Amino acid sequence: MQTRRVMAAALALTVSALGRQAAASEVTPVQKVIQLMEGMLAKGKSEKHDEQVQFAAFKQFCDDTSVEKKRAIEEANGKIEMLKADIEKYTATAAKLTKEIADHDEDISVWTGDQKAATTVRDIEKADYDALHQDYSESVDAIQRAVAVLKKQSHDRKQASLVQVSSLTQLSLIPDSAKRAIDAFLQQSQSPEGLEVSAPEAYGYEFQSHGVIEMLEKLLDEFIEERTKLEKSEMNGKHAYDMLMQDLTAQIQQASQDREEKSEVKAKTLQARADAEGDLKDTSDTRDADQHYLDDLTATCEQKASDFESRQQLRAEEIEAINKAIEIISS
C-alpha cells in the first residue's frame, strides 16, 4: 500500500513536469507520462526477470553444493565408523599379542631356569660319580694287587709286598670288618725274618691267608658289580639330562621364534592403528569442515532466498502499481 502511494506521488510530479513541456511538443502530456511509465514497467519486469535468472543460478549452486557436501559428510561418517572399528580391532589384537609375548617371555625364562638347574644338578651328579667311580676303581685295583700277593706261597712273599695288603685298610670303601681281618692277618704274618715256623703254625697261617683271599675276592666281585651299576646309572642319568636339555632347547627355540613373529605382527598392528588414527583425524577434520561449510551455506542460501522473495514481492507490487497508474491515466 505504501509503495502504491509513493508511485502515485511520483506520477503526480511527473505529470506536472511534463505539463509545462507540452506546449512545445506534439505529444500530449498524458501520452508522455504513459510512455515514461511503460518504460519504467518494462525496466521493472526486466530487472525482476534478471534477478530471477541470477537467483535460479545461485539456487542451483546452493542445491548442487549442498548435495555434494551432504554426500561427502555421509561418506566421511561411514569411513569414520569403519576407522573406529579398525582401531578397536587393532587395539584388541595388540593387547592380545602383548599378553602372548609376555607368556612366551615367562616360558622362556622358566625353561632357561630349568636348564640351569638341571645343569647344576647334572654337574653335581657327575662330580659325585667321578669321585665314587674313582674310589671303586682304586679299591678294585688295590684288592687285585693284594690278592695277587696273598696267593703267592708264604715262603715266596716278601715282607715289603705285604704293604699292598696293608694299604687296603686306608680305602674308604673297605668295610670295618674286613679291615679288622686284614689287620689280624698282618699281625700274624709279621714274624722275625729267618725264624723257622712249625708245621701247625704254618698250616694255620695258610688257612687264615686263604680266608682273607676269599673275603677280598668277594669284596672285589661286589665292587666290580657296584661300579658297573654306577656306570649304568651315570649313563642313564646323562641320557635323561641330554633328553631334557634337548626338549627344553626345542621349546625355548620355538617360543623364541613365536615371540619374534608375534612381535613383528604387533609392530605392524600398532603401525596400522597409528595410520588409522591419523586417517581418522584427517577424515574427522575434513568432515567437520564440510559440515561447517554446509551450515554456513544453508544459512546464506536461506537468507538470500528470503531476500529474493522479498525483492520479488516488492517488484511485483511496483509493476502492479505502474500498471494501475497506466490504466488510470489512460482512462
Side-chain angles (χ1 to χ4, degrees), residues 15-30 32:
V15 170
S16 175
L18 290 174
R20 289 191 295 269
Q21 299 175 2
S25 174
E26 295 181 358
V27 181
T28 65
V30 173
K32 196 69 174 177

Side-chain angles (χ1 to χ4, degrees), residues 44-60:
K45 289 180 178 181
S46 176
E47 290 178 350
K48 185 173 183 290
H49 178 266
D50 290 344
E51 189 176 62
Q52 288 174 342
V53 172
Q54 291 177 356
F55 181 74
F58 177 74
K59 186 176 185 301
Q60 187 64 46

